[in-house]
Amino acid sequence: MKEKLYKDLPRPKLNRAQVAEIYERLCRENPNPRTELNYTNPYTLVVAVALSAQATDIGVNKATRALFEAADTPQAMVDLGEDVVRDHIKTIGLYRNKAKNVVKLSQMILDDFGGEVPTTRDDLEKLPGVGRKTANVVMNEAFGQPTMAVDTHIFRVSNRTGMAPGKNPVEVELNLLRVTPDQYRMGAHHWILLHGRYTCVARTPKCYDCRIADLCRYTPKTPDP
């Protein structure tokens, strides 16, 4: 089954030993990686990750500080109402649609899941504003499942390094699952995301300050400024 799933994916440009070395180095620097989004329970994590689309974690954390003080459960969020939620999050992108989704997903959690955040990807993706990436983050961060949540940072790093190339996020996700050693699966998407956020940045990667530059297939390497 796995062979069928992986056979049409782009071939990784690094071998398994090289990929393991990448994780070993990233793990050595940050043994217990976590999301940089602030949350207090699985429900507030779902909301925070849904709000983070096309927004920075810093911006989301600023917006949710007061929001989560006012409402940190689905019922409290529904009681707060869309207008008040919108006022709390108006500093982040797409806030009108996101406010609508936050209230709708909260109501769905109450109506369809007994007030508890669902634990499976299929059920999480039924929630308004929740896609595959958000579901994977929640499954990993809140429920301890070794999922790969592919955002723009992870997509970029996986392709640049050659460790898990793909034409779209699902291909990258599947390739990461294929090449990531079991002992690194829980922290994998955090390590790669943080590396992309702070070192392997979009416009000009900081190759001169990269702990995995000798393994990475990206060329030409950015020289030390």
Side-chain angles (χ1 to χ4, degrees):
M1 184 65 181
K2 285 186 178 180
E3 288 72 14
K4 184 178 180 181
L5 185 67
Y6 296 142
K7 70 175 183 178
D8 295 325
L9 294 176
R11 296 287 299 174
K13 298 177 182 178
L14 304 181
N15 61 41
R16 290 181 182 272
Q18 291 170 317
V19 173
E21 178 64 18
I22 285 176
Y23 284 121
E24 196 279 330
R25 294 183 192 180
L26 298 177
C27 177
R28 191 187 312 148
E29 182 178 61
N30 184 7
N32 299 297
R34 299 291 301 275
T35 180
E36 293 186 323
L37 290 169
N38 293 334
Y39 71 98
T40 58
N41 55 38
Y43 169 71
T44 54
L45 178 62
V46 171
V47 173
V49 181
L51 292 178
S52 71
Q54 299 184 44
T56 66
D57 286 2
I58 293 173
V60 172
N61 288 339
K62 289 180 179 178
T64 57
R65 186 178 299 116
L67 176 64
F68 291 159
E69 288 178 0
D72 64 355
T73 67
Q75 186 63 64
M77 195 70 74
V78 170
D79 292 343
L80 209 58
E82 185 180 328
D83 290 345
V84 178
V85 173
R86 186 170 59 244
D87 286 341
H88 276 292
I89 67 171
K90 62 186 178 182
T91 56
I92 64 176
L94 307 176
Y95 70 94
R96 295 181 186 277
N97 192 53
K98 288 177 179 178
K100 184 180 299 184
N101 283 336
V102 165
V103 175
K104 284 184 176 180
L105 73 83
S106 301
Q107 190 65 62
M108 183 177 285
I109 289 172
L110 292 169
D111 293 343
D112 296 353
F113 301 105
E116 300 293 330
V117 174
T119 60
T120 68
R121 183 185 292 114
D122 286 345
D123 283 342
L124 283 164
E125 288 192 69
K126 293 175 184 176
L127 301 175
V130 174
R132 187 180 182 94
K133 186 207 78 173
T134 299
N136 280 337
V137 171
V138 174
M139 292 167 66
N140 180 277
E141 182 78 14
F143 302 125
Q145 300 184 42
T147 53
M148 297 286 182
V150 178
D151 69 351
T152 56
H153 299 299
I154 294 174
F155 185 82
R156 178 174 66 253
V157 173
S158 298
N159 276 288
R160 270 185 182 168
T161 59
M163 65 187 294
K167 298 185 294 294
N168 55 62
V170 173
E171 286 192 350
V172 169
E173 177 186 336
L174 294 176
N175 252 338
L176 283 172
L177 289 171
R178 171 164 65 170
V179 302
T180 301
D182 289 346
Q183 69 266 34
Y184 296 121
R185 282 198 172 194
M186 274 303 299
H189 92 262
H190 293 296
W191 285 313
I192 301 171
L193 184 156
L194 293 171
H195 187 67
R197 180 173 291 166
Y198 297 111
T199 303
C200 195
V201 295
R203 291 190 177 182
T204 308
K206 301 175 183 178
C207 304
Y208 51 87
D209 193 34
C210 176
R211 65 199 61 83
I212 62 171
D214 59 312
L215 298 167
C216 173
R217 293 299 182 91
Y218 177 76
T219 57
K221 297 288 194 293
T222 307
D224 191 330

